[in-house]
């Protein structure tokens, strides 16, 4: 049995991971054009308009509204849908706080639905179990480039008059049964911050085929000013934030859109090959991609069964790191409802329980999600990774698994 690098053996990966430049001449050309406009305001320049038109064509949708972030995109979507005080919004317990901030700023109540143990996404069954007479919307998080069973969730929601928002911040060019995630529900939300498939530093988009929702989203992202009307500020009927994207961000984003499909193609190829190579290894549960779907792998996450593996997750991760892999134990620290602001109801400070006063968030609320985080191992994916990187990752995982299996 080959000795692990953790115990003095030779590491598998001795060459650096592939890297590359995310930005190039195209971004510079667009930035210069934007500056030469003599205005960087989104409604006066050409970059934001061109960005929206290009993204709408890519996703075959009628309307696109830009925002300052993926977090802002979800808030805009909820504002456009009329989510307000006391409304319940069902979402995932394994997600970034950005999926929840808009819910809470609208004084609505997050309700968490449990996940499939291998796709790490909400199921239609789990969503249905959480619906009450106060449910206004579902925010479906397509985690890590992998689509949830969005058609079934949409069907359940529409039968009950509930809106569906798709959080696609991690899921560009992610396909569910041949169709892009983000185009099934009422509104799709995206992010172009620096930690996504494409980057403009920060920024976001919402897409929809509903003209009324488009108008409401456009206004909600812009202090509820009606730029499509005769007088911008003649009648501001409700509170709304300022989430306007500027022309410089749109200029960079416009160039990035030319790259996103190829970026996702390369990530898909790497992730699918890794997924195939890990099938059948004792103690390893590969990331499940549903039949007929295509993941764009914002990252790759497997799960371990410590008893079958013959070691702990912590030891397994240490061993992989010693072999030269980039690897992380778990994903986020805990399910979001286990955060202090939910458990102690301190959304607006120590002594304010509104809007969660009638809710109780506790350990065990979503047992599958908690088990996912307790057994997950995260591996990065990049469009710059090489075939050698893939070979090294697979070889190292098989080497470590074989070693501990032999010790049982």
């Amino acid at each position: 049995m080959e000795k692990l690098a953790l115990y003095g053996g030779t590491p598998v990966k001795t060459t650096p991971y592939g890297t590359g430049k995310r930005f190039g001449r195209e971004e510079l050309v667009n930035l210069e054009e934007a500056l030469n406009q003599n205005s960087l305001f989104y409604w006066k320049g050409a970059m934001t308009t061109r960005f929206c038109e290009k993204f709408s064509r890519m996703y075959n949708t009628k309307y696109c509204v830009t925002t300052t972030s993926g977090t802002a995109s979800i808030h805009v979507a909820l504002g456009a849908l009329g989510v307000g005080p006391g409304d319940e919004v069902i979402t995932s317990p394994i997600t970034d706080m950005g999926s929840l901030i808009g819910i809470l700023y609208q004084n609505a109540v997050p309700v968490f639905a449990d996940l499939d143990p291998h796709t790490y996404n909400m199921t239609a069954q789990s969503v249905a179990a959480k619906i009450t007479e106060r449910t206004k919307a579902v925010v479906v998080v397509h985690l890590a480039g992998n689509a949830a069973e969005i058609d079934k969730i949409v069907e359940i929601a529409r039968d009950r008059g509930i809106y569906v928002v798709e959080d696609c911040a991690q899921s560009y060019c992610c396909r569910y049964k041949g169709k892009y995630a983000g185009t099934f529900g009422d509104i799709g939300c995206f992010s172009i911050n620096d930690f996504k498939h494409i980057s403009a530093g920060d920024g976001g988009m919402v897409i929809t085929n509903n003209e009324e929702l488009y108008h409401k989203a456009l206004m909600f992202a812009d202090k509820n000013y009606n730029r499509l009307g005769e007088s911008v500020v003649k009648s501001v009927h409700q509170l709304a934030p300022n989430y306007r994207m500027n022309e410089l961000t749109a200029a960079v984003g416009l160039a990035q859109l030319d790259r996103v499909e190829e970026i996702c193609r390369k990530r898909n190829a790497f992730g699918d090959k890794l997924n195939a190579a890990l099938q059948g290894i004792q103690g390893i549960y590969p990331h499940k991609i549903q039949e007929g779907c295509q993941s764009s792998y914002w990252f790759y996450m497997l799960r371990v069964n410590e008893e079958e593996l013959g070691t702990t997750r912590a030891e397994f991760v240490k061993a992989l790191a010693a072999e030269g892999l980039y690897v992380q134990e778990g994903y986020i620290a805990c399910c979001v409802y286990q955060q202090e602001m939910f458990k102690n109801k301190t959304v607006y400070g120590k002594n304010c329980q509104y809007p969660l006063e009638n809710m109780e968030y506790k350990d065990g609320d979503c047992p599958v999600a908690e088990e996912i985080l307790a057994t997950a191992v995260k591996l990065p994916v990049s469009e710059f990774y090489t075939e050698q990187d893939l070979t090294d990752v697979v070889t190292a995982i098989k080497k470590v698994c074989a070693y501990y299996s032999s010790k049982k």
Side-chain angles (χ1 to χ4, degrees):
M1 182 57 57
E2 189 176 1
K3 183 185 284 189
L4 298 185
L6 184 64
Y7 305 127
T10 302
V12 167
K13 186 156 189 56
T14 56
T15 58
Y17 280 87
T19 59
K21 291 185 67 175
R22 301 183 73 185
F23 309 104
R25 180 64 186 165
E26 297 84 357
E27 283 83 0
L28 289 172
V29 169
N30 286 354
L31 286 169
E32 183 176 15
E33 183 179 339
L35 291 170
N36 285 336
Q37 294 173 159
N38 209 33
S39 173
L40 299 178
F41 185 58
Y42 85 105
W43 202 249
K44 290 185 176 181
M47 290 298 167
T48 305
T49 299
R50 287 165 56 189
F51 180 84
C52 287
E53 289 173 348
K54 179 177 283 191
F55 196 65
S56 292
R57 285 196 304 271
M58 181 183 299
Y59 271 77
N60 194 29
T61 54
K62 293 180 180 178
Y63 307 106
C64 174
V65 175
T66 54
T67 71
T68 52
S69 68
T71 301
S73 295
I74 295 173
H75 193 184
V76 166
L78 296 172
L81 293 170
V83 172
D87 290 335
E88 292 180 358
V89 179
I90 300 171
T91 193
S92 172
I94 297 182
T95 188
D96 182 79
M97 284 300 298
S99 302
L100 304 167
I101 287 170
I103 301 172
L104 294 167
Y105 266 112
Q106 291 303 105
N107 289 312
V109 180
V111 175
F112 299 98
D114 214 348
L115 310 180
D116 179 275
H118 302 298
T119 68
Y120 321 135
N121 287 317
M122 294 189 301
T123 66
Q125 183 179 10
S126 68
V127 170
K130 295 292 185 176
I131 292 174
T132 72
E133 69 279 358
R134 302 183 72 173
T135 305
K136 181 83 169 185
V138 182
V139 175
V140 181
V141 179
H142 300 293
L143 192 74
N146 190 25
E149 50 183 17
I150 185 64
D151 58 344
K152 296 177 182 177
I153 294 173
V154 167
E155 182 180 4
I156 288 171
R158 288 195 172 145
D159 284 346
R160 294 161 174 80
I162 296 168
Y163 297 114
V164 175
V165 175
E166 295 181 71
D167 181 350
C168 303
Q170 299 181 1
S171 295
Y172 281 96
C173 301
C174 159
R175 294 184 183 271
Y176 181 83
K177 297 182 179 179
K179 186 178 175 183
Y180 275 157
T183 61
F184 288 81
D186 296 284
I187 298 181
C189 300
F190 297 81
S191 169
I192 49 174
N193 82 7
D194 209 44
F195 307 103
K196 300 299 184 291
H197 294 77
I198 55 175
S199 169
D202 226 323
M205 305 85 83
V206 300
I207 56 173
T208 184
N209 283 312
N210 185 303
E211 185 176 7
E212 182 181 359
L213 288 180
Y214 162 66
H215 289 163
K216 289 181 177 179
L218 187 64
M219 291 172 65
F220 195 85
D222 191 0
K223 299 182 282 190
N224 257 323
Y225 290 170
N226 183 9
R227 298 197 182 273
L228 298 173
E230 293 181 2
S231 175
V232 174
V233 297
K234 182 178 180 180
S235 177
V236 178
H237 65 283
Q238 70 179 69
L239 179 69
N242 178 359
Y243 286 146
R244 301 180 304 219
M245 180 183 287
N246 66 71
E247 286 284 277
L248 295 178
T249 299
V252 174
L254 188 62
Q256 289 278 290
L257 288 182
D258 289 333
R259 298 188 174 96
V260 66
E261 289 175 319
E262 180 65 7
I263 287 170
C264 292
R265 185 195 67 77
K266 290 179 178 179
R267 283 172 168 263
N268 173 259
F270 185 97
D272 277 358
K273 289 177 183 177
L274 175 58
N275 216 20
L278 298 184
Q279 301 295 324
I281 299 177
Q282 189 173 16
I284 296 292
Y285 300 148
H287 203 156
K288 180 181 176 182
I289 312 301
Q290 298 183 89
E291 187 176 353
C293 301
Q294 187 178 63
S295 175
S296 53
Y297 295 102
W298 190 60
F299 57 81
Y300 185 92
M301 195 157 74
L302 57 85
R303 292 178 57 205
V304 298
N305 182 312
E306 293 184 343
E307 185 176 348
E308 292 179 2
L309 194 61
T311 189
T312 65
R313 179 182 67 167
E315 187 78 0
F316 178 68
V317 168
K318 286 180 183 177
L320 290 178
E323 296 297 336
L325 300 196
Y326 295 155
V327 61
Q328 176 183 320
E329 188 176 347
Y331 173 40
I332 57 176
C334 62
C335 289
V336 286
Y337 59 78
Q338 294 174 302
Q339 294 283 357
E340 179 183 346
M341 66 182 292
F342 289 105
K343 295 184 77 171
N344 297 334
K345 300 179 181 177
T346 56
V347 173
Y348 295 115
K350 270 189 174 179
N351 300 315
C352 181
Q353 295 192 358
Y354 185 81
L356 308 181
E357 55 203 346
N358 296 317
M359 293 295 293
E360 182 182 3
Y361 300 102
K362 60 186 185 303
D363 295 347
D365 279 353
C366 295
V368 175
E370 292 178 24
E371 180 67 14
I372 288 168
L373 292 180
T375 57
V377 174
K378 180 185 170 190
L379 300 162
V381 178
S382 170
E383 62 273 20
F384 300 118
Y385 285 178
T386 65
E387 286 296 321
Q388 186 61 55
D389 293 327
L390 177 64
T391 298
D392 290 344
V393 170
V394 172
T395 301
I397 291 173
K398 289 183 174 180
K399 174 185 175 181
V400 171
C401 289
Y403 178 87
Y404 286 116
S405 179
S406 71
K407 299 298 180 182
K408 287 193 297 182

